[in-house]
Amino acid sequence: MRTQFCGLIDESLIGQTVTLCGWVNTNRVQSHTVFTDLRDHEGVAQIVVDSDMGELFQIAKELALESCVQVTGTVRARQAVNDKIRTGKVEVLAEKIEVLNKAEPLPFHHHENPGEDTRLKYRYLDLRSPDMQRKMRTRTKLVSALRHWLDARGFQDIETPILTKATPEGARDFLVPARMHEGEFYALPQSPQLFKQILMMAGFDRYYQIARCFRDEALRADRQLEFTQLDMEFAWVGERDVQDTVEDMIRDIFRDVVDVELAAEFPRMTYAEAMRRYGSDKPDLRIALELMDVAELVKDSEFTVFTAAANDPDGRVAALRIPGGASLSRKQIDEYAAHAAKYGAKGLAYVKLDEQGVVNSPIAKFFSEESFVALLDAVGVRNGDIAFFGAGAYNKVSDFMGALRLKAGKDFNLIADGWAPLWITDFPMFEWDEEEGRFVALHHPFTAPAVDSIDDLRANAKTAVSRGYDMVLNGNEIGGGSIRIHNSAMQSAVFELLGIGAEEAEGKFGFLLDALKYGAPPHGGIAFGIDRIAALMAGTESIRDVIAFPKTTGAQCLMTGAPSPIPDAQLAEVHVQVRETKAKD
């Protein structure tokens, strides 16, 4: 139907007859000429129809936006050159226009900003926009480049099951009723974790998969119910074997896909250092702000919020200095406090020093003049600055002070240009869940501890370090992995520490425990978030912009109306009955 793409016609075609197909992007009707921008996935071409062309001129005048149109005409040089587009030096003088499918009045046009719900409801219109076409093509180039890189290095692309056994990895499973096994269910995989480990035991050595994964958890800008990851596993490896290989891969991929040169060697930081300095296990190093521990300086103050945390072995008092932050009004300071509250803060103290050195602080009265000056000097507060202080449990303070650091970085334009990759290593093996009264795995239950002895692990479970590692880029965790447990006794011991008894472990993970008994090699791997990497490459903050048909934050597909009720007869086939829940008062 076409001889060229709209966005690829150029001066080499001047004088030639071409046929183009596309959507009407804009239609500018003047007294003697109609200028139509015809758009396809490669870009736009200007179509010209003069008033002396009779019926053709009338057809051109009535072209509705987003109608499908076929145009045949002659390429000629454009009098008014448009340097902003690739085809800006030429235009097509139309000889024939056929409307293949006229569009009805549009709910929105991609030149507008209708809001995300409208964009998702009419996703087919949204995806036609040049910006979304660019973002989706970036994703396509990313996946293609990854496959090419891995295939060239001997990795085998092996598919693992989508209908599998429920083996919880930290989030809720999506369950699928098994019609042929009444009362039993499959689960959609949260990741191919156990299958890829078994592939290493089966002798495949290097595996990868562009894997679709499913987690029934709260949605946000960087999280979806269903997502895509590059899943990788290696046999006979230690941490650096995996890290060095995938670091080379990420460097090459960014160079090939978006012409970005990442650091020749990614810096490394332990989990403990990252939490201490940045309040996050995925710090954005483009922001120079750092947290400072001040417990020693405030432990003898009269401010009980500070003294309680400072004298608690599991507590923390941290400060964040923001250069130029004295410009914040009281209302803005309250907004910072509200932001910190979202991450667990019960309050937020501050010290503001105006340009003349005048102190504004609700906590100054709790300190002697000497100790207060010492505190400000230690934190580095200067005229025109503000310092925020957080106190409480170590992890909670780290979380909300880290969130404040990111907010301040954005609000005060403190985010440097460029790319800041790093490795986070030496994660805790476990963290204590107060509500459940037991340990939970920080990565997942199959991560190897950095000890060889089961007795050592049991004796030091609270402080045990794992052999896990994450790759972080510009404040985003883009990949996470670990060396896996390859010994059945150690795996059973970890299950036991996680409160998974022998009977439960056998029921959920018996096949893994059996496989580990028959010569399982040391192995490890990593998984990269395709959606997150594509979003970074495309320059967008939301992974929804690089997923063709994403869900809303309310876990809905506005275009199709999913999820939706299922007829009782269809539910009966899979032995399921919906139980009505009583409305809460």
Side-chain angles (χ1 to χ4, degrees), residues 240-258:
R240 286 303 294 253
D241 298 312
V242 176
Q243 293 166 11
D244 290 348
T245 298
V246 299
E247 184 177 315
D248 285 344
M249 178 187 74
I250 291 297
R251 236 187 323 268
D252 290 347
I253 295 306
F254 268 79
R255 183 186 303 115
D256 293 346
V257 176
V258 287

Side-chain angles (χ1 to χ4, degrees), residues 6 31 56 148 182 185 192 196 221 239 269 286 335 354 369 373 391 482 485 501 506 511 520 536 546 554 572 579:
C6 297
S31 57
L56 193 64
H148 180 78
E182 184 174 353
F185 295 81
K196 69 178 182 178
E239 290 92 326
M269 186 180 299
R286 298 173 302 164
E335 289 172 354
D354 70 15
E369 182 177 349
V373 169
S482 67
I485 298 168
E506 181 63 31
F511 64 97
L536 284 167
V546 291
R579 185 178 63 187

Side-chain angles (χ1 to χ4, degrees), residues 45 67 183 272 360 383 390:
S67 293
N360 178 347
N383 290 2

Side-chain angles (χ1 to χ4, degrees), residues 177-178 185 568 570-578:
F185 295 81
D568 289 343
Q570 191 174 350
L571 290 175
E573 289 182 351
V574 292
H575 321 293
V576 169
Q577 184 177 8
V578 176

Side-chain angles (χ1 to χ4, degrees), residues 146-161:
L146 287 169
R147 287 190 182 280
H148 180 78
W149 198 96
L150 293 163
D151 290 343
R153 287 160 180 80
F155 285 82
Q156 285 185 259
D157 181 1
I158 303 176
E159 294 179 342
T160 54

Side-chain angles (χ1 to χ4, degrees), residues 261-301:
E261 286 290 342
L262 298 179
E265 183 174 353
F266 295 180
R268 294 170 181 275
M269 186 180 299
T270 66
Y271 172 89
E273 181 183 358
M275 297 303 290
R276 176 176 58 81
R277 293 173 62 186
Y278 303 108
S280 172
D281 59 1
K282 50 180 181 180
D284 190 342
L285 298 187
R286 298 173 302 164
I287 302 172
L289 303 178
E290 293 193 23
L291 307 184
M292 174 176 287
D293 286 310
V294 295
E296 286 298 314
L297 295 167
V298 303
K299 66 180 182 180
D300 297 321
S301 74

